[in-house]
Amino acid sequence: TTAGTLEDLIVYLTSENTSDISFRDSFVLTHPTFVDPIKLVQLLCDRWSSLEEENSTGSQQDFTNTKLKPIRIKIMGFVKIWADHFPRLFLQDEFLSALNDLSALVSEGMGEKVYKQFTESIVNSSKHSRTKKRILQSILELSPTKDSDCVKFILENEPEVIAQQITLVDHQIFCNIAISELLNKSWTRKETKLK
């Protein structure tokens, strides 16, 4: 295996030629172990801005449609997924101050309509996360003692909420997976598969 600089990882993460969802998800979930979030926002801003200098040949419209927009859309998509997974981070003043720099680039480079969609998606991710947390707290406070309580709970809640709660039951198991196992995709090796 080879290693890359953090800047190389950002380039790969936002490449217009690659769509490695597994890498993106691993990156967003493990980034706190190797980069400060404010530094990550700065690197995303640098990536956004450095694209302007890359058009050495060809028409501006071709460059914009084939390289510039796809990369910028990936940057915005990454930030939304980041907000989904780390909503409390997106409520911290210092982080939001750094994120304002990226938001300004979005506004300038993609237009007011895209900027509005971008900021709304971040806000909605935060709200959705808080709603899920409130639902979880409510459910944890319920401790059904009778089977009829369980049936009532299932009948009164949306399937998505029930599925979320079943997933949370397994959460502790998944928390025991080491980052190295995740990054090395240990579950794909023959010796680690269950028989």
Side-chain angles (χ1 to χ4, degrees), residues 55-74:
N55 188 17
S56 55
T57 60
S59 76
Q60 181 64 33
Q61 185 174 3
D62 286 344
F63 175 73
T64 298
N65 291 333
T66 61
K67 187 165 181 114
L68 195 67
K69 281 186 180 176
I71 291 172
R72 288 181 171 176
I73 288 169
K74 281 195 172 182

Side-chain angles (χ1 to χ4, degrees), residues 8-25:
D8 291 338
L9 294 176
I10 298 296
V11 168
Y12 182 75
L13 178 71
T14 60
S15 171
E16 78 281 7
N17 298 321
T18 312
S19 186
D20 191 342
I21 293 170
S22 179
F23 174 77
R24 182 204 62 202
D25 292 347

Side-chain angles (χ1 to χ4, degrees), residues 65-127:
N65 291 333
T66 61
K67 187 165 181 114
L68 195 67
K69 281 186 180 176
I71 291 172
R72 288 181 171 176
I73 288 169
K74 281 195 172 182
I75 291 171
M76 292 183 298
F78 172 78
V79 173
K80 184 189 181 319
I81 290 166
W82 193 9
D84 287 342
H85 288 285
F86 295 90
R88 285 182 287 175
L89 177 65
F90 284 73
L91 299 173
Q92 297 174 6
D93 291 336
E94 187 178 358
F95 178 79
L96 288 174
S97 177
L99 193 61
N100 281 337
D101 295 340
L102 182 60
S103 295
L105 291 172
V106 170
S107 177
E108 179 185 316
M110 300 295 280
E112 205 57 37
K113 182 178 178 183
V114 173
Y115 165 76
K116 186 176 179 182
Q117 292 170 339
F118 174 67
T119 54
E120 284 176 359
S121 71
I122 292 171
V123 169
N124 289 338
S125 290
S126 229
K127 285 180 184 175

Side-chain angles (χ1 to χ4, degrees), residues 118-144:
F118 174 67
T119 54
E120 284 176 359
S121 71
I122 292 171
V123 169
N124 289 338
S125 290
S126 229
K127 285 180 184 175
H128 184 65
S129 176
R130 287 193 299 266
T131 301
K132 283 196 275 187
K133 185 177 180 181
R134 272 188 253 118
I135 290 170
L136 173 60
Q137 287 171 339
S138 299
I139 290 171
L140 291 176
E141 289 170 4
L142 293 175
S143 51

